[in-house]
């Protein structure tokens, strides 16, 4: 029988609340659904094993984002050593044609730009929070956002109908 503190949400509640955030960041970093699912599973296994106590919702969000980034990096490192053929993602989580184009273009950007763009725009983190999460100076995050947006715009302009 599992003990649950009445002041803390249960494991299922936390997983349900954080699943989309973890999966989307994992997907942005790994570029395919299968690896993103593996990363997501690993993140929640770590959560269940350690059961960290969070000070507040921001602390919880930051923990899940940091662990997702760490697990994604570990997977990327492992895959590059194994030289595995990448799986083609056939069923992405984004549905509209415009979002599909954006997703495709984002995946062609270098990882550091994908990460800051995802955290800032999809996770609605402020620049100072992105900097703290990534262990960077705010000026470095601003520069990566600027360069990432410029690269994104250049790539989108190459796509038909997305100027």
């Amino acid at each position: 029988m599992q003990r649950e503190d009445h002041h803390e949400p249960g494991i299922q509640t936390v997983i349900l609340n954080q699943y989309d955030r973890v999966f989307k960041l994992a997907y942005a970093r790994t570029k395919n659904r299968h690896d993103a699912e593996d990363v997501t599973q690993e993140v929640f296994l770590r959560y269940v094993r350690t059961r960290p106590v969070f000070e507040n919702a921001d602390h919880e969000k930051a923990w899940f984002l940091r662990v997702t980034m760490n697990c994604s990096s570990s997977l990327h490192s492992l895959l590059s050593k194994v030289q595995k053929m990448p799986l083609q993602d056939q069923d992405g989580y984004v549905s509209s044609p415009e979002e599909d184009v954006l997703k495709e273009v984002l995946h062609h950007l270098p990882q550091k730009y994908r990460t800051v763009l995802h955290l800032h725009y999809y996770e609605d983190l402020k620049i100072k929070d992105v900097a703290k999460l990534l262990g960077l100076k705010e000026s470095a995050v601003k520069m990566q956002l600027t360069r990432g947006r410029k690269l994104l715009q250049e790539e989108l302009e190459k796509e038909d109908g997305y100027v």
Side-chain angles (χ1 to χ4, degrees):
M1 186 167 191
Q2 190 159 344
R3 181 181 138 285
E4 282 192 23
D5 189 311
H6 291 282
H7 301 290
E8 294 181 29
I11 292 174
Q12 282 185 312
T13 302
V14 172
I15 290 172
L16 288 172
N17 289 339
Q18 296 297 331
Y19 183 85
D20 284 346
R21 171 176 291 124
V22 169
F23 179 80
K24 287 177 181 178
L25 178 57
Y27 188 86
R29 292 180 58 88
T30 63
K31 299 185 185 182
N32 77 65
R33 178 175 280 286
H34 303 289
D35 289 343
E37 289 169 348
D38 288 345
V39 168
T40 301
Q41 181 177 2
E42 180 61 27
V43 169
F44 289 116
L45 282 173
R46 288 183 186 192
Y47 170 72
V48 169
R49 284 184 196 129
T50 62
R51 281 306 302 259
V53 176
F54 303 115
E55 297 169 12
N56 53 41
D58 288 339
H59 181 224
E60 179 179 325
K61 178 179 180 177
W63 186 91
F64 277 99
L65 292 173
R66 169 55 63 194
V67 173
T68 303
M69 290 174 40
N70 290 343
C71 289
S72 299
S73 296
S74 296
L75 178 68
H76 177 72
S77 174
L78 177 65
L79 291 178
S80 66
K81 290 176 185 172
V82 176
Q83 293 185 348
K84 179 180 171 188
M85 291 291 291
L87 296 172
Q88 294 297 317
D89 181 44
Q90 299 297 321
D91 52 351
Y93 65 86
V94 184
S95 58
S96 78
E98 293 83 8
E99 288 174 325
D100 286 342
V101 169
L102 181 59
K103 176 183 74 171
E104 183 65 32
V105 171
L106 273 171
H107 286 174
H108 291 330
L109 297 181
Q111 185 173 4
K112 67 181 180 179
Y113 301 130
R114 280 195 324 266
T115 300
V116 295
L117 288 167
H118 180 87
L119 291 173
H120 185 65
Y121 290 106
Y122 289 97
E123 297 299 334
D124 293 324
L125 292 181
K126 294 178 180 167
I127 289 173
K128 69 176 185 163
D129 296 327
V130 173
K132 184 177 177 182
L133 188 64
L134 298 176
L136 299 171
K137 293 183 178 183
E138 287 183 40
S139 59
V141 171
K142 289 177 187 176
M143 183 59 71
Q144 288 181 7
L145 281 170
T146 299
R147 290 179 179 164
R149 284 189 295 254
K150 184 178 181 200
L151 287 172
L152 186 61
Q153 181 179 2
E154 289 170 2
E155 290 298 316
L156 286 172
E157 287 173 355
K158 291 177 188 177
E159 298 290 327
D160 290 338
Y162 293 95
V163 179

